[in-house]
Amino acid sequence: MPNTAAVNSPNRQSVSPLFLLQRNWSEIKSGTSKEQVDALLGKPERVMRINGDLVWYYVHPGFGRGTVFFDDEGKVSGAQSPHIGWSW
């Protein structure tokens, strides 16, 4: 049986959605796989091709928009995170 005392502890602080978003975007680096990006950011709002390159477009209501660019091998070649005080 899981230890629910730690989960329900009054001293446990919740993590803000903004913190989680920043942390997950900070994990997106050159060479990250599509599967890893999906696990960190979820499904993109739109998938498109720009000059032949695969681009995943994300919309984070209240936080901003971001894009992830992939090379021909399905690895991240670049990204533009939402502009919330940090850059990729």
Side-chain angles (χ1 to χ4, degrees), residues 17 43 66:
K43 300 292 181 201

Side-chain angles (χ1 to χ4, degrees), residues 32-40 56 70 74-75:
T32 303
S33 71
K34 288 192 285 187
E35 292 79 13
Q36 291 168 308
V37 173
D38 184 54
L40 289 165
W56 287 6
F70 295 94
K75 304 289 185 183

Side-chain angles (χ1 to χ4, degrees), residues 14-77:
S14 63
V15 179
S16 78
L18 176 59
F19 174 81
L20 291 174
L21 183 63
Q22 288 175 318
R23 184 190 68 195
N24 290 349
W25 272 96
S26 72
E27 295 292 320
I28 307 300
K29 309 262 188 256
S30 182
T32 303
S33 71
K34 288 192 285 187
E35 292 79 13
Q36 291 168 308
V37 173
D38 184 54
L40 289 165
L41 302 177
K43 300 292 181 201
E45 180 79 19
R46 290 176 52 196
V47 175
M48 57 193 128
R49 290 223 174 247
I50 298 176
N51 295 328
D53 294 329
L54 179 63
V55 180
W56 287 6
Y57 180 74
Y58 290 89
V59 176
H60 304 286
F63 298 117
R65 299 178 180 133
T67 51
V68 181
F69 301 86
F70 295 94
D71 61 20
D72 292 338
E73 296 176 7
K75 304 289 185 183
V76 171
S77 60

